[in-house]
Amino acid sequence: MHRALVVAALLSLCGCQDNEQRAARQGEAARSAVHAACASAAPAPPLTTDAGTLADDESADAASAEHGSCTRRLCEERCAAQAVTAFHRACVTACTADGVCQSDSDCGQGLRCIAVAPVVRRCRPQVTSHPSASASAR
């Protein structure tokens, strides 16, 4: 009898998801549409003949911040059905793809999985070394 109950319990656990996992899946499902909507709504970057200037960096930072706020707003809307705070947070984090990660595939567009502590990795913008930054600092 006990053996049958154990087997039944194990079979019922296989393939089951808890509410937080379901919320994260909902966020992941919304990710592509949200990022595409924010990318199409973003203004085109200005064309400059002097590439690599501080103005270019500031423009890119502003565009990135605008994309991030657009993404967060749309993800908040898509995850509004998650009434419990922890589940809502899991949905939004999966949708924005800027939370804890294991690999770059866990992160959204323009983000990389970067170690921020010995055992913690988070999605962050990829830092690039800009040649004009070192020249302008001299």
Side-chain angles (χ1 to χ4, degrees), residues 50-108:
D50 188 19
T53 64
L54 182 58
D56 290 339
D57 291 344
E58 289 171 349
S59 175
D61 289 345
S64 177
E66 184 176 328
H67 184 271
S69 65
C70 173
T71 302
R72 170 116 355 232
R73 181 178 42 81
L74 290 180
C75 286
E76 290 278 351
E77 290 173 9
R78 297 281 178 114
C79 296
Q82 300 296 331
V84 177
T85 304
F87 303 151
H88 183 264
R89 187 179 322 123
C91 180
V92 171
T93 299
C95 181
T96 58
D98 63 358
V100 176
C101 57
Q102 296 298 318
S103 69
D104 289 343
S105 64
D106 296 332
C107 302

